[in-house]
Amino acid sequence: MSGSGAYEVLIDGQPMRCVDAVDRGFQYGDGTFTTITIREGVPLFWPLHLARLERDCRQLLIPFPGVEHLEPDVRTLCAAHPDGVLKIQITRGIGGRGYRLPEPQRVTRVLSIHPPPDYPSELREIGIEVRLCENRLGINPRLAGIKHMNRLEQILARAEWTDDAIREGIMLDTEGYVVEGTMSNLFLIKNGTLYTPKIDRCGVAGVMRSITIETALQHGMAVAESRITLEELFAADEVFLTNCVIETWPVRRFGHRTYGVGPITQEIDRWLRTKAENEQVAAFNG
Amino acid sequence: MSGSGAYEVLIDGQPMRCVDAVDRGFQYGDGTFTTITIREGVPLFWPLHLARLERDCRQLLIPFPGVEHLEPDVRTLCAAHPDGVLKIQITRGIGGRGYRLPEPQRVTRVLSIHPPPDYPSELREIGIEVRLCENRLGINPRLAGIKHMNRLEQILARAEWTDDAIREGIMLDTEGYVVEGTMSNLFLIKNGTLYTPKIDRCGVAGVMRSITIETALQHGMAVAESRITLEELFAADEVFLTNCVIETWPVRRFGHRTYGVGPITQEIDRWLRTKAENEQVAAFNG
């Protein structure tokens, strides 16, 4: 995703890869982003990604560049590269004395489209193996939920292993509660109820996380956002991970605990596949 | 400092301002930096900045580019702009799948030299007024001390005020202990002892902070690094702030508490001025 293998990059609508070294995105990670699957030219769940960018910009006091600037860029890239992963970054741009905000702020928008990831497609059926990360997430409610460009905690966690058989690492907060994967949100099923960690103190409120919660509720499942301990995670009946690129990955194994791929996870996965397909149909009819 | 007013930028030794949009410094704030005063062509406390860059790179698992690459860049910029502020950034460069580290890592080094800040010079004598920030520092011992490029906490804290009469904001950690200013380290004096917050859970271990501690010890002062409460800060006899650009700013006033500019602060300030002057003499003789 951050590799040199980007198909194409647009900066403020222009095809180029050159960010000014004094852009605050590069100076301080002063920006936010979202990652979107492009399938047959359609940016899946585009209105939700747009809403998340707008919400995260508001939380970071960054002026939202507006759909009228973003949509033409997205259309250009999706037409040229109909299957891939689109990353949209919005930074606070250039200026300001030190950390102080520029006045006025002129944001930078960077859209980069990348090849689809090379994950084996069967992972979605057979599930994955995950590990527990030693690196933890610091607690800061002011930044919780935001997909901001300060990602060193995730990078150091992801650096803990190189074994390709392990697809993801589970991160705890500094108090020891389960929060998420390094690049995914976490769900567990216990006695028929769907649980996911509250994202009110740290972690990313992923778009696929909110789609999963909404879908489960629409199908009549009980859903709870709560503090989850490691003991509760081990005691779960089923566990799965979500993000907008993988959609769902069942967790087959976590350390010494084997869950297999559970029936409720499979059912939720079917609902989410249908939802994504409907996105494409709606786009073609719209 | 991050403004468009950089005199000049060198990227990997070349005069340019263009960072690749997929550089991990821009994608994730995946890098570290240091900020150095250049006075009459001399980078003050250069060996300490070099040591901090090397230590912070090691903590972040970034290969240190080596003094043989950094020093020629520094010499070039100091010769062209003998009075200013030099910022050195080292990022993990391009590559890797998502958060995963590239293999091998090829770091990017960005040196930018900026005009000296426009702070009134008398602040060092008359002291400054500071405020308490509502934004707090998340606790993460793994990242504590490192001057990394994830700086949203400081930016949101600095966004809390625009009144130019207030020069700095004091930040607490999420447990309520005093840590530092948004861009400076904090010291207080109580009954003749110099106290400064421990930087073992959050905060930046500034170069001027370590110079101040060392200098005070050399002059026979008692020094303690400890957890400091807001009550202890209010009860202090004297308070001052440090960084490598301001060196020292006495805190004249903090909210409703007036400290004035205390005699021990003034003495420490004299020691630090002498130390900086000796740096210049040493450079000219070396």
Side-chain angles (χ1 to χ4, degrees):
Chain A
M1 274 297 303
S2 83
S4 43
Y7 285 137
E8 194 177 347
V9 182
L10 294 182
I11 301 184
D12 293 336
Q14 302 302 312
M16 59 189 290
R17 308 172 58 115
C18 175
V19 170
D20 195 307
V22 298
D23 190 282
R24 296 173 65 104
F26 184 75
Q27 294 286 313
Y28 308 127
D30 191 4
T32 186
F33 69 104
T34 196
T35 306
I36 308 171
T37 292
I38 310 300
R39 196 173 291 154
E40 297 178 25
V42 177
L44 298 185
F45 307 110
W46 170 241
L48 296 177
H49 286 282
L50 199 59
R52 99 98 60 93
L53 281 174
E54 186 163 14
R55 184 197 63 202
D56 286 357
C57 280
R58 190 170 53 241
Q59 292 278 39
L60 295 176
L61 316 176
I62 295 174
F64 182 62
V67 64
E68 70 277 14
H69 290 292
L70 289 169
E71 280 197 346
D73 293 356
V74 172
R75 264 197 289 274
T76 299
L77 291 175
C78 291
H81 311 282
D83 288 282
V85 174
L86 173 65
K87 180 168 178 175
I88 302 180
Q89 294 177 267
I90 297 170
T91 83
R92 207 182 307 273
I94 293 171
R97 283 205 322 263
Y99 298 132
R100 187 170 178 167
L101 304 196
E103 187 62 56
Q105 298 189 51
R106 293 191 188 84
V107 303
T108 305
R109 64 180 197 278
V110 177
L111 285 80
S112 54
I113 190 154
H114 307 255
D118 57 357
Y119 305 128
S121 60
E122 69 268 22
L123 296 181
R124 197 156 174 179
E125 283 82 39
I126 66 173
I128 61 161
E129 183 171 347
V130 305
R131 77 195 296 278
L132 181 65
C133 293
E134 287 170 30
N135 276 276
R136 295 195 175 191
L137 295 164
I139 291 171
N140 190 338
R142 180 65 180 82
L143 291 173
I146 304 172
K147 199 170 174 83
H148 53 65
M149 285 163 51
N150 281 193
R151 290 292 152 213
L152 279 168
E153 289 178 326
Q154 285 76 14
I155 288 165
L156 292 174
R158 186 60 190 82
E160 291 180 28
W161 82 98
T162 54
D163 178 356
D164 287 329
I166 295 174
R167 290 284 170 179
E168 179 57 307
I170 303 301
M171 295 188 75
L172 312 180
D173 65 29
T174 49
E175 291 183 3
Y177 290 99
V178 175
V179 182
E180 61 191 7
T182 65
M183 59 161 193
S184 59
N185 285 115
L186 180 141
F187 289 85
L188 67 82
I189 292 148
K190 181 72 180 176
N191 300 330
T193 294
L194 182 66
Y195 294 89
T196 193
K198 283 176 91 157
I199 304 292
D200 58 340
R201 306 196 305 174
C202 56
V204 175
V207 165
M208 191 53 66
R209 175 180 181 273
S210 65
I211 293 169
T212 303
I213 292 171
E214 184 194 83
T215 303
L217 290 170
Q218 283 166 349
H219 284 85
M221 279 192 76
V223 180
E225 299 183 61
S226 58
R227 299 261 179 270
I228 294 175
T229 65
L230 209 41
E231 292 66 35
E232 288 167 330
L233 180 57
F234 281 119
D237 301 325
E238 307 179 24
V239 178
F240 64 94
L241 304 174
T242 65
N243 75 31
C244 280
V245 175
I246 65 174
E247 296 189 358
T248 58
W249 274 351
V251 173
R252 189 180 65 226
R253 190 182 162 89
F254 172 41
H256 294 300
R257 170 74 163 94
T258 299
Y259 303 99
V261 178
I264 300 179
T265 297
Q266 288 174 311
E267 176 122 44
I268 292 171
D269 182 68
R270 278 192 294 275
W271 297 337
L272 292 173
R273 283 178 198 260
T274 303
K275 207 140 195 169
E277 283 158 16
N278 290 345
E279 279 285 296
Q280 289 183 257
V281 172
F284 284 117
N285 294 338
Chain B
M1 274 296 305
S2 82
S4 42
Y7 286 137
E8 194 176 347
V9 183
L10 295 182
I11 302 183
D12 293 336
Q14 300 303 313
M16 58 190 289
R17 308 174 57 116
C18 175
V19 170
D20 195 307
V22 300
D23 190 284
R24 296 172 65 103
F26 184 75
Q27 294 287 310
Y28 309 127
D30 192 5
T32 186
F33 69 104
T34 196
T35 305
I36 308 172
T37 292
I38 310 299
R39 196 174 291 156
E40 297 177 25
V42 177
L44 299 186
F45 306 110
W46 170 241
L48 296 177
H49 287 282
L50 199 61
R52 99 98 59 93
L53 281 173
E54 186 163 13
R55 184 197 65 202
D56 287 357
C57 280
R58 189 169 55 242
Q59 291 284 2
L60 295 176
L61 316 175
I62 294 174
F64 182 62
V67 63
E68 69 278 14
H69 290 292
L70 289 171
E71 281 197 345
D73 294 355
V74 172
R75 263 197 290 273
T76 299
L77 291 176
C78 292
H81 311 282
D83 287 282
V85 174
L86 173 66
K87 180 169 178 174
I88 302 180
Q89 294 177 268
I90 297 169
T91 84
R92 207 182 307 274
I94 293 171
R97 284 205 321 262
Y99 298 132
R100 187 170 178 168
L101 304 195
E103 186 61 56
Q105 299 188 51
R106 292 191 189 86
V107 304
T108 304
R109 63 180 198 278
V110 177
L111 284 80
S112 54
I113 190 155
H114 306 254
D118 56 359
Y119 306 128
S121 59
E122 69 267 22
L123 296 181
R124 198 158 173 177
E125 284 82 40
I126 65 173
I128 60 161
E129 182 171 348
V130 304
R131 76 194 296 281
L132 181 65
C133 294
E134 287 170 28
N135 275 276
R136 294 193 176 194
L137 295 163
I139 291 172
N140 190 337
R142 180 66 180 79
L143 291 173
I146 304 171
K147 200 171 173 83
H148 54 64
M149 284 163 50
N150 280 193
R151 289 291 153 213
L152 279 169
E153 290 179 324
Q154 285 75 17
I155 288 165
L156 292 175
R158 186 59 189 81
E160 291 180 28
W161 82 98
T162 53
D163 177 358
D164 287 329
I166 296 174
R167 290 286 169 178
E168 178 60 306
I170 303 302
M171 296 189 74
L172 310 180
D173 65 29
T174 50
E175 291 184 3
Y177 290 100
V178 175
V179 183
E180 60 191 9
T182 64
M183 60 161 193
S184 59
N185 286 115
L186 179 142
F187 289 85
L188 66 83
I189 293 149
K190 181 73 181 174
N191 299 330
T193 295
L194 182 66
Y195 293 90
T196 192
K198 283 176 92 157
I199 304 293
D200 58 340
R201 307 195 306 171
C202 56
V204 174
V207 165
M208 191 52 66
R209 175 180 181 273
S210 65
I211 293 169
T212 303
I213 292 172
E214 186 193 83
T215 303
L217 289 171
Q218 284 167 347
H219 284 83
M221 278 192 78
V223 180
E225 297 182 63
S226 59
R227 299 260 179 270
I228 294 175
T229 65
L230 210 42
E231 291 66 35
E232 288 167 330
L233 180 57
F234 280 118
D237 301 324
E238 306 179 24
V239 177
F240 65 95
L241 303 174
T242 65
N243 75 31
C244 281
V245 176
I246 64 173
E247 297 189 357
T248 57
W249 274 350
V251 173
R252 190 180 62 225
R253 189 181 164 89
F254 172 40
H256 294 298
R257 171 74 163 94
T258 299
Y259 303 100
V261 178
I264 299 179
T265 298
Q266 287 174 311
E267 176 120 45
I268 292 171
D269 182 67
R270 278 192 295 274
W271 296 337
L272 292 172
R273 283 177 198 259
T274 302
K275 207 139 195 171
E277 283 158 17
N278 290 345
E279 279 285 295
Q280 289 183 257
V281 173
F284 285 117
N285 294 339

